[in-house]
Amino acid sequence: MTDTDAPPTTPSAATVLDRLLAAGLSEDRARNWIAGGGTRVDGEPVTDPAHPAAFPAKVTLYP
């Protein structure tokens, strides 16, 4: 389990993809995590990279 709580550069418009990129994942890897169903925002599964995830939402990756 990886927790990505780093604040994005634009908190009000941050998406789950933005948050994963800000945490250091490559765009390809972040998109694969999201598409594969391994990404959660505040405990809810997310498969849309544009899903809102403004800080302080908790973005978590599950294998």
Side-chain angles (χ1 to χ4, degrees):
M1 179 170 75
T2 303
D3 190 5
T4 57
D5 284 334
T9 55
T10 55
S12 61
T15 65
V16 67
L17 180 60
D18 294 333
R19 294 283 302 275
L20 294 177
L21 296 176
L25 271 71
S26 70
E27 186 168 351
D28 287 342
R29 190 165 197 175
R31 287 185 181 277
N32 286 337
W33 273 102
I34 296 166
T39 306
R40 298 201 173 144
V41 175
D42 290 334
E44 297 297 321
V46 172
T47 56
D48 178 6
H51 184 85
F55 192 77
K58 184 174 184 178
V59 178
T60 311
L61 299 178
Y62 286 88

